[in-house]
Amino acid sequence: MQWRSIVVGLVVLRLSLSCVLWLAFGLGPNVSWGFNFPLGFNLHKLDLLFREEKVTEQKSNSWSQRIPGHSHEKTASTCSRVGEESPKRSYLSFFDGNKDEYVRRYSSFPDTLKAKMKDMAKEMFYFGYDNYMKYAFPEDELNPIDCEGRGPDVLNPSNININDVLGNYSLTLIDTLDTLLVIGNVTEFQRAVKLVIDTVSFDKDSTVQVFEANIRILGSLISAHILLTDPKHPFGNVVFEGYDDELLHLAHDLAVRLLPAFENTSTGIPYPRVNLKSGVPPDSINETCTAGAGSLLVEFGILSRLIGDSTFEWVARRAVRALWNLRSNETGLLGNVINIQTGQWVGKQSGLGAGMDSFYEYLLKSYILFGEKEDYRMFQAAYESIQNHLRRGRESCNEGEGDPPLYVNVNMFSGEIMNTWIDSLQAFFPGLQVLNGDVDNAICLHAFYYAIWKRFGALPERYNWQLQAPDVLFYPLRPELVESTYLLYQATKNPFYLHVGMDILQSLEKHAKVRCGYATLHHVVDKSKEDRMESFFLSETCKYLYLLFDEDNPLHKSDNKYIFTTEGHVVPIDKPLVERQMNNQPPPRNISNCNKIPEERRYTLPLKSVYMRQIDHMVGLF
């Protein structure tokens, strides 16, 4: 028919198409990187336009075939087709976005619903916080099922899952301080600060992980102190009479107690744990993870600038440089576990998740805060190596054929895939891509993790992309997917991300809420629970959910610019204490200047529905 040849001609010539054409057709260059998910799913442009057409399936190698000893039988394309006897649809129907299930679901989000979700997020925070204060304070965490407090496991010092985090220093209260301001409760913030000042001491016989103490305790104390003393008063005048920098003094005291970790190492890479009274334990191991040793620079750097003592930033920066200098000459990648004395890589896996995640995050955020060219050069080189060796899938997120982009775990020296799983911590990476201005790639990777969430109502700690099933089944209320959702919404203002936030909120209410708080999911399939509510649930998960729906929050309306630490603590980036000695450097990136989504795409899906459908299929949603 004449009309059909005209439309096909327009597609082939790739003339100027309207936003609706772009959405409905999902067209782009015919690019295939030759990496397929196990089901061998392929996209065909003309098959989407005219489903009765026969399209020859492309041949490509699946990711599973790149793993020694693994193979998977190819199957035919799962694109549905209209049979010859089926009534032919008018081409005009493809212009009607209302016919698309993804457009119907995600393309709008009423203000009344946004207000409802904001209230729900606030209520979620208060249910957890109030019960912690009622049943657990001054202990570190709340056991939300038994309505009891939890501290270090003194009877089993080897229980590092507990003892690395809990130091008998009211962890959850400290970690939550700036969230109280974000929520808008100045009175409770001031009361909580006074409680910390009056009750918290770090003179404890507690052996804690340096990384966890840094991001949860040190970072929160610094953030709360800065917000208390900020002359611009973004949250109103929150300082109270008699405050004499006590939070800063506490932060300094803790940092001094962490310094022994940096002593007596041949490389300058710190020991993973210290005893807050006695320093590095005599039986301490000489191995640490890249993220743990290389993610101290933001908090230590800010502290150094607040108190005028460069020691803390110096030791943190020395550790980062040491790790960086030990990267592979062949790939530019780092491993995940290293011997701090020999500099030999014990764990040669390179990925974006556990053991490595915040190392990359802090290279960029340190540059944003301090303006050091070295930090950004390292980040740029690391990001390029990640794209070259970890990324699999089609070249473009929102165009072409082939598998959705995915970042896999590889050998740091060879770049060969080491396993077929990804972990939930990797869901932070789309947010980091937003900060780096790579919004398109962030959209694609985020959509993959959201699809996993839709399938299970949570993110399993490890998900096997080859088996389409969890490898490690628990979900401890982690914030990474929510964080990336929030940052993508700030960059695009696309209502899709409000729907994602609503889905996460409702899932948590349905599956994790218990008598006195929100509990870790022991099993994402059967939704059985563990009696633990980690402090990051209040400091990050609830905070990002609330901010997602609170358009009028001072963080969004203030003239100040802010960045979040890896534990979600709020830090201004334009205060004199972190003033950059730029020397004609380009200004650091931040959310306000990394918005690279064209204006017209704010009125449609961030990822074309054909690709959303593909990703949903890949994780077994249908």
Side-chain angles (χ1 to χ4, degrees):
M1 296 177 63
Q2 185 177 9
W3 60 262
R4 196 161 91 180
S5 63
I6 292 173
V7 174
V8 172
L10 288 172
V11 172
V12 174
L13 292 175
R14 299 170 66 189
L15 297 179
S16 175
L17 299 179
S18 70
C19 185
V20 179
L21 267 169
W22 172 81
L23 170 65
F25 292 160
L27 301 178
N30 185 11
V31 176
S32 175
W33 277 42
F35 299 102
N36 274 349
F37 276 89
L39 291 183
F41 184 80
N42 286 288
L43 297 176
H44 303 285
K45 292 179 289 188
L46 295 183
D47 182 49
L48 294 173
L49 284 169
F50 309 108
R51 306 223 174 179
E52 71 277 9
E53 296 285 272
K54 302 289 186 180
V55 181
T56 303
E57 182 182 6
Q58 292 182 326
K59 294 183 179 180
S60 58
N61 296 321
S62 71
W63 292 339
S64 57
Q65 290 173 334
R66 300 174 65 84
I67 310 297
H70 289 76
S71 63
H72 197 96
E73 183 180 354
K74 284 182 178 292
T75 62
S77 169
T78 54
C79 289
S80 60
R81 301 174 185 270
V82 178
E84 291 295 332
E85 70 283 356
S86 300
K88 290 183 171 60
R89 296 168 58 190
S90 166
Y91 79 99
L92 291 175
S93 67
F94 293 103
F95 290 81
D96 186 358
N98 292 326
K99 300 295 184 183
D100 186 282
E101 59 184 300
Y102 291 89
V103 175
R104 286 199 306 270
R105 179 175 179 185
Y106 295 116
S107 62
S108 65
F109 203 93
D111 287 342
T112 54
L113 185 57
K114 189 186 300 183
K116 181 179 178 182
M117 291 302 104
K118 173 184 168 182
D119 290 343
M120 183 183 293
K122 180 183 285 190
E123 290 169 7
M124 176 178 287
F125 168 79
Y126 279 126
F127 188 67
Y129 176 79
D130 289 346
N131 279 300
Y132 166 76
M133 295 303 297
K134 180 177 181 180
Y135 295 110
F137 177 79
E139 294 193 69
D140 286 313
E141 284 181 353
L142 170 67
N143 287 348
I145 296 175
D146 289 341
C147 303
E148 296 175 349
R150 180 200 291 267
D153 188 350
V154 295
L155 299 179
N156 183 14
S158 64
N159 184 4
I160 60 175
N161 182 48
I162 298 297
N163 293 331
D164 270 1
V165 178
L166 309 188
N168 194 22
Y169 40 33
S170 301
L171 168 66
T172 297
L173 177 63
I174 295 176
D175 209 5
T176 304
L177 289 176
D178 65 319
T179 308
L180 289 165
L181 278 186
V182 168
I183 295 289
N185 195 335
V186 174
T187 301
E188 183 60 21
F189 168 76
Q190 293 174 333
R191 185 179 84 92
V193 168
K194 292 174 184 176
L195 274 175
V196 170
I197 293 170
D198 292 341
T199 65
V200 171
S201 168
F202 298 121
D203 190 24
K204 306 280 188 183
D205 185 19
S206 298
T207 298
V208 296
Q209 191 185 88
V210 174
F211 169 75
E212 295 290 358
N214 173 65
I215 65 170
R216 301 201 197 197
I217 300 293
L218 184 63
S220 185
L221 291 171
I222 290 170
S223 171
H225 168 75
I226 293 173
L227 295 174
L228 264 171
T229 57
D230 188 348
K232 295 183 179 180
H233 305 308
F235 296 98
N237 190 358
V238 301
V239 71
F240 52 86
E241 185 177 355
Y243 178 70
D244 191 24
D245 296 344
E246 288 91 346
L247 294 184
L248 182 59
H249 297 321
L250 278 171
H252 186 198
D253 178 50
L254 175 60
V256 169
R257 295 173 187 273
L258 299 179
L259 276 182
F262 296 87
E263 301 170 1
N264 302 316
T265 78
S266 300
T267 60
I269 301 170
Y271 284 92
R273 298 173 183 89
V274 296
N275 183 282
L276 295 177
K277 266 187 178 291
S278 58
V280 176
D283 60 348
S284 181
I285 61 172
N286 288 321
E287 297 173 2
T288 190
C289 69
T290 301
S295 304
L296 308 171
L297 185 52
V298 166
E299 291 83 2
F300 273 44
I302 295 173
L303 178 64
S304 278
R305 291 156 193 258
L306 282 170
I307 65 176
D309 182 350
S310 63
T311 301
F312 304 99
E313 181 173 349
W314 185 84
V315 296
R317 191 170 291 280
R318 180 182 62 170
V320 171
R321 288 170 177 158
L323 287 164
W324 183 250
N325 290 333
L326 292 168
R327 70 194 186 280
S328 167
N329 292 328
E330 290 78 17
T331 64
L333 298 172
L334 294 84
N336 58 343
V337 180
I338 197 165
N339 186 299
I340 66 173
Q341 302 297 352
T342 67
Q344 297 296 309
W345 290 102
V346 179
K348 299 177 178 62
Q349 176 177 297
S350 191
L352 300 178
M356 301 203 68
D357 49 353
S358 52
F359 175 80
Y360 302 117
E361 178 184 2
Y362 269 23
L363 291 178
L364 181 58
K365 289 184 176 180
S366 295
Y367 171 67
I368 292 173
L369 279 168
F370 309 131
E372 297 286 346
K373 288 182 178 180
E374 177 189 25
D375 295 335
Y376 194 52
R377 281 197 297 266
M378 286 189 288
F379 175 78
Q380 284 180 307
Y383 195 76
E384 182 177 353
S385 295
I386 288 167
Q387 299 302 313
N388 288 339
H389 298 287
L390 272 62
R391 190 184 187 278
R392 299 293 191 275
R394 62 178 174 268
E395 184 173 10
S396 175
C397 168
N398 231 350
E399 292 181 342
E401 300 180 8
D403 299 323
L406 184 67
Y407 295 83
V408 299
N409 299 318
V410 304
N411 182 289
M412 64 174 290
F413 296 109
S414 67
E416 294 180 355
I417 298 179
M418 291 187 67
N419 50 57
T420 59
W421 53 260
I422 51 179
D423 65 61
S424 64
L425 288 171
Q426 185 186 316
F428 93 98
F429 197 66
L432 187 62
Q433 290 179 306
V434 168
L435 292 180
N436 192 44
D438 191 2
V439 180
D440 260 342
N441 271 312
I443 286 169
C444 244
L445 186 58
H446 173 275
F448 183 76
Y449 274 92
Y450 173 49
I452 299 172
W453 184 283
K454 284 192 293 183
R455 181 177 172 190
F456 299 106
L459 275 186
E461 191 71 352
R462 285 185 184 175
Y463 176 81
N464 192 307
W465 46 260
Q466 183 183 58
L467 302 178
Q468 297 182 320
D471 273 353
V472 179
L473 288 154
F474 69 89
Y475 169 64
L477 312 178
R478 290 199 187 278
E480 284 75 17
L481 178 61
V482 189
E483 175 187 7
S484 290
T485 302
Y486 165 68
L487 291 171
L488 273 163
Y489 181 68
Q490 290 302 305
T492 67
K493 296 300 181 183
N494 195 296
F496 170 80
Y497 297 106
L498 299 176
H499 284 277
V500 175
M502 182 172 68
D503 284 355
I504 293 172
L505 257 176
Q506 292 174 337
S507 295
L508 291 170
E509 282 291 317
K510 180 178 180 181
H511 302 306
K513 191 173 186 179
V514 292
R515 186 158 60 112
C516 293
Y518 294 83
T520 291
L521 293 184
H522 175 73
H523 195 298
V524 297
V525 178
D526 67 23
K527 303 301 187 294
S528 55
K529 298 171 182 63
E530 296 179 18
D531 197 7
R532 187 177 188 186
M533 187 180 80
E534 294 219 40
S535 66
F536 53 65
F537 175 70
L538 298 180
S539 71
E540 296 186 83
T541 307
C542 291
K543 179 186 290 163
Y544 287 126
L545 282 170
Y546 181 80
L547 283 171
L548 177 65
F549 297 107
D550 186 17
E551 297 279 2
D552 296 323
N553 194 274
L555 290 183
H556 302 146
K557 297 295 185 180
S558 172
D559 290 336
N560 287 11
K561 303 297 181 186
Y562 296 90
I563 199 165
F564 297 90
T565 71
T566 195
E567 185 71 8
H569 297 306
V570 178
V571 178
I573 62 175
D574 59 349
K575 289 188 64 63
L577 64 94
V578 290
E579 186 173 359
R580 296 173 292 278
Q581 303 301 318
M582 298 296 288
N583 299 323
N584 297 319
Q585 296 181 66
R589 299 175 186 268
N590 56 62
I591 290 176
S592 66
N593 69 5
C594 72
N595 186 346
K596 296 191 175 182
I597 294 296
E599 183 73 17
E600 66 272 10
R601 279 182 52 189
R602 297 186 184 184
Y603 304 103
T604 184
L605 297 173
L607 184 63
K608 298 173 189 177
S609 57
V610 62
Y611 296 129
M612 286 191 182
R613 188 173 294 107
Q614 180 197 31
I615 290 174
D616 283 353
H617 176 82
M618 296 305 184
V619 303
L621 276 169
F622 58 85

